[in-house]
Amino acid sequence: MTHPIELNTARTVQDMRLDNDPKHTNSEVTLASGVYFSWDADGGDVTLDLLPKQDVLFAAKVTVQRKPGWLSFNLSLREGSLEAGDILGLVLDFEGCAGETLPLFIRSARSSGMNDTYLQEPLQGQSSRAVQTLLHTVHGDSALCGPSGFHTLVFNLPMRDFDFVLHDLRLFVLPAARCLDLGPPRLGKPV
């Protein structure tokens, strides 16, 4: 059975494909419902241009005149719950932010407040088109785990000029019931 967060994310990505009318404000560019770039307009000066490009979710050119307190791309995963042992997977087909390591986290909002869970692996910027798969095991003490909440995937973006093209994005959940294990974190790759 498909996990609700998978379905929600697939719908959001489809909305991005269909909605070609971004909305600009002083500190935000909204691409579709629940999909937006955001920055600290009070502390920084950022210009974000969306470039017309066929067959991509977006092509952004960002110019940072004055470094903001934050700069992020946000994608709503909407309502759902995850259990300890679930494995969350994210597959990105993209290019941009070469030489940068981009931490990703999921912000979970419930009646008790908002909490962030950083994914085990960051996204590595690329100078040419590449596909990266990031895997994250949900731990019982993380904000992801527990009753249903509203979740948003957040990309921390560089505080400098950059280009970023997102060709495609897929999210999947491998339930804990499958008894899969990513194994312990390692400092290096096995030979």
Side-chain angles (χ1 to χ4, degrees), residues 7-23:
L7 291 173
N8 294 338
T9 304
R11 285 184 192 116
T12 300
V13 168
Q14 183 62 18
D15 288 348
M16 287 174 66
R17 290 191 193 289
L18 299 175
D19 188 354
N20 294 324
D21 188 25
K23 315 284 187 279

mmCIF file of all heavy atoms in Angstrom, residues 7-23:
data_model
loop_
_atom_site.group_PDB
_atom_site.id
_atom_site.type_symbol
_atom_site.label_atom_id
_atom_site.label_comp_id
_atom_site.label_asym_id
_atom_site.label_seq_id
_atom_site.Cartn_x
_atom_site.Cartn_y
_atom_site.Cartn_z
ATOM 1 N N LEU A 7 1.929 9.707 -1.552
ATOM 2 C CA LEU A 7 0.850 10.223 -2.404
ATOM 3 C C LEU A 7 0.797 11.748 -2.363
ATOM 4 O O LEU A 7 0.665 12.401 -3.400
ATOM 5 C CB LEU A 7 -0.499 9.652 -1.962
ATOM 6 C CG LEU A 7 -0.724 8.165 -2.210
ATOM 7 C CD1 LEU A 7 -2.022 7.715 -1.555
ATOM 8 C CD2 LEU A 7 -0.732 7.865 -3.697
ATOM 9 N N ASN A 8 0.895 12.309 -1.161
ATOM 10 C CA ASN A 8 0.866 13.765 -1.020
ATOM 11 C C ASN A 8 2.003 14.424 -1.794
ATOM 12 O O ASN A 8 1.800 15.429 -2.481
ATOM 13 C CB ASN A 8 0.970 14.159 0.456
ATOM 14 C CG ASN A 8 -0.227 13.730 1.266
ATOM 15 O OD1 ASN A 8 -1.301 13.504 0.734
ATOM 16 N ND2 ASN A 8 -0.035 13.604 2.561
ATOM 17 N N THR A 9 3.198 13.855 -1.685
ATOM 18 C CA THR A 9 4.354 14.430 -2.376
ATOM 19 C C THR A 9 4.190 14.306 -3.888
ATOM 20 O O THR A 9 4.483 15.251 -4.624
ATOM 21 C CB THR A 9 5.652 13.746 -1.910
ATOM 22 O OG1 THR A 9 5.738 13.867 -0.486
ATOM 23 C CG2 THR A 9 6.872 14.384 -2.548
ATOM 24 N N ALA A 10 3.703 13.168 -4.361
ATOM 25 C CA ALA A 10 3.485 12.987 -5.803
ATOM 26 C C ALA A 10 2.471 14.007 -6.327
ATOM 27 O O ALA A 10 2.665 14.584 -7.402
ATOM 28 C CB ALA A 10 3.013 11.560 -6.096
ATOM 29 N N ARG A 11 1.425 14.263 -5.539
ATOM 30 C CA ARG A 11 0.432 15.271 -5.945
ATOM 31 C C ARG A 11 1.052 16.668 -5.986
ATOM 32 O O ARG A 11 0.791 17.448 -6.902
ATOM 33 C CB ARG A 11 -0.756 15.264 -4.989
ATOM 34 C CG ARG A 11 -1.677 14.102 -5.185
ATOM 35 C CD ARG A 11 -2.905 14.197 -4.278
ATOM 36 N NE ARG A 11 -3.619 12.947 -4.287
ATOM 37 C CZ ARG A 11 -3.781 12.151 -3.228
ATOM 38 N NH1 ARG A 11 -3.305 12.512 -2.058
ATOM 39 N NH2 ARG A 11 -4.436 11.024 -3.333
ATOM 40 N N THR A 12 1.868 16.987 -4.994
ATOM 41 C CA THR A 12 2.519 18.294 -4.944
ATOM 42 C C THR A 12 3.453 18.478 -6.134
ATOM 43 O O THR A 12 3.460 19.529 -6.776
ATOM 44 C CB THR A 12 3.284 18.464 -3.609
ATOM 45 O OG1 THR A 12 2.345 18.361 -2.527
ATOM 46 C CG2 THR A 12 3.976 19.799 -3.542
ATOM 47 N N VAL A 13 4.228 17.452 -6.464
ATOM 48 C CA VAL A 13 5.128 17.520 -7.622
ATOM 49 C C VAL A 13 4.314 17.678 -8.906
ATOM 50 O O VAL A 13 4.668 18.475 -9.784
ATOM 51 C CB VAL A 13 6.056 16.289 -7.672
ATOM 52 C CG1 VAL A 13 6.793 16.189 -8.996
ATOM 53 C CG2 VAL A 13 7.049 16.331 -6.505
ATOM 54 N N GLN A 14 3.208 16.976 -9.006
ATOM 55 C CA GLN A 14 2.342 17.119 -10.186
ATOM 56 C C GLN A 14 1.783 18.537 -10.276
ATOM 57 O O GLN A 14 1.718 19.123 -11.356
ATOM 58 C CB GLN A 14 1.199 16.093 -10.149
ATOM 59 C CG GLN A 14 0.307 16.127 -11.357
ATOM 60 C CD GLN A 14 1.038 15.794 -12.660
ATOM 61 O OE1 GLN A 14 2.129 15.229 -12.676
ATOM 62 N NE2 GLN A 14 0.450 16.173 -13.766
ATOM 63 N N ASP A 15 1.406 19.116 -9.140
ATOM 64 C CA ASP A 15 0.928 20.505 -9.126
ATOM 65 C C ASP A 15 2.013 21.451 -9.645
ATOM 66 O O ASP A 15 1.715 22.404 -10.360
ATOM 67 C CB ASP A 15 0.518 20.933 -7.713
ATOM 68 C CG ASP A 15 -0.772 20.274 -7.251
ATOM 69 O OD1 ASP A 15 -1.476 19.673 -8.099
ATOM 70 O OD2 ASP A 15 -1.065 20.356 -6.044
ATOM 71 N N MET A 16 3.263 21.179 -9.291
ATOM 72 C CA MET A 16 4.368 22.011 -9.788
ATOM 73 C C MET A 16 4.460 21.934 -11.309
ATOM 74 O O MET A 16 4.736 22.924 -11.970
ATOM 75 C CB MET A 16 5.702 21.556 -9.183
ATOM 76 C CG MET A 16 5.874 21.905 -7.731
ATOM 77 S SD MET A 16 7.391 21.190 -7.052
ATOM 78 C CE MET A 16 8.649 22.075 -7.950
ATOM 79 N N ARG A 17 4.236 20.741 -11.840
ATOM 80 C CA ARG A 17 4.310 20.564 -13.301
ATOM 81 C C ARG A 17 3.195 21.336 -14.009
ATOM 82 O O ARG A 17 3.386 21.837 -15.107
ATOM 83 C CB ARG A 17 4.213 19.090 -13.670
ATOM 84 C CG ARG A 17 5.405 18.285 -13.282
ATOM 85 C CD ARG A 17 5.365 16.911 -13.905
ATOM 86 N NE ARG A 17 6.331 16.023 -13.300
ATOM 87 C CZ ARG A 17 7.632 16.102 -13.449
ATOM 88 N NH1 ARG A 17 8.149 17.047 -14.175
ATOM 89 N NH2 ARG A 17 8.433 15.239 -12.860
ATOM 90 N N LEU A 18 2.030 21.397 -13.378
ATOM 91 C CA LEU A 18 0.865 22.006 -14.015
ATOM 92 C C LEU A 18 0.756 23.508 -13.786
ATOM 93 O O LEU A 18 0.148 24.211 -14.586
ATOM 94 C CB LEU A 18 -0.405 21.323 -13.502
ATOM 95 C CG LEU A 18 -0.521 19.828 -13.793
ATOM 96 C CD1 LEU A 18 -1.763 19.258 -13.121
ATOM 97 C CD2 LEU A 18 -0.541 19.558 -15.287
ATOM 98 N N ASP A 19 1.307 23.999 -12.681
ATOM 99 C CA ASP A 19 1.152 25.414 -12.322
ATOM 100 C C ASP A 19 2.371 26.198 -12.802
ATOM 101 O O ASP A 19 3.456 26.059 -12.276
ATOM 102 C CB ASP A 19 0.994 25.553 -10.810
ATOM 103 C CG ASP A 19 0.630 26.971 -10.399
ATOM 104 O OD1 ASP A 19 0.606 27.858 -11.266
ATOM 105 O OD2 ASP A 19 0.371 27.181 -9.206
ATOM 106 N N ASN A 20 2.185 27.005 -13.831
ATOM 107 C CA ASN A 20 3.282 27.786 -14.404
ATOM 108 C C ASN A 20 3.141 29.278 -14.118
ATOM 109 O O ASN A 20 3.551 30.112 -14.894
ATOM 110 C CB ASN A 20 3.353 27.572 -15.920
ATOM 111 C CG ASN A 20 3.742 26.150 -16.262
ATOM 112 O OD1 ASN A 20 4.540 25.551 -15.568
ATOM 113 N ND2 ASN A 20 3.158 25.612 -17.309
ATOM 114 N N ASP A 21 2.542 29.596 -12.984
ATOM 115 C CA ASP A 21 2.300 30.992 -12.649
ATOM 116 C C ASP A 21 2.829 31.301 -11.246
ATOM 117 O O ASP A 21 2.067 31.418 -10.291
ATOM 118 C CB ASP A 21 0.799 31.286 -12.736
ATOM 119 C CG ASP A 21 0.494 32.758 -12.579
ATOM 120 O OD1 ASP A 21 1.369 33.588 -12.861
ATOM 121 O OD2 ASP A 21 -0.632 33.066 -12.156
ATOM 122 N N PRO A 22 4.174 31.417 -11.100
ATOM 123 C CA PRO A 22 4.738 31.675 -9.772
ATOM 124 C C PRO A 22 4.292 33.021 -9.221
ATOM 125 O O PRO A 22 4.057 33.967 -9.967
ATOM 126 C CB PRO A 22 6.244 31.649 -9.998
ATOM 127 C CG PRO A 22 6.471 31.574 -11.452
ATOM 128 C CD PRO A 22 5.174 31.315 -12.131
ATOM 129 N N LYS A 23 4.155 33.076 -7.903
ATOM 130 C CA LYS A 23 3.750 34.296 -7.202
ATOM 131 C C LYS A 23 4.951 34.820 -6.416
ATOM 132 O O LYS A 23 5.538 34.095 -5.625
ATOM 133 C CB LYS A 23 2.603 34.016 -6.232
ATOM 134 C CG LYS A 23 1.473 33.161 -6.778
ATOM 135 C CD LYS A 23 0.561 33.895 -7.711
ATOM 136 C CE LYS A 23 -0.650 33.095 -8.106
ATOM 137 N NZ LYS A 23 -0.493 32.137 -9.146
#
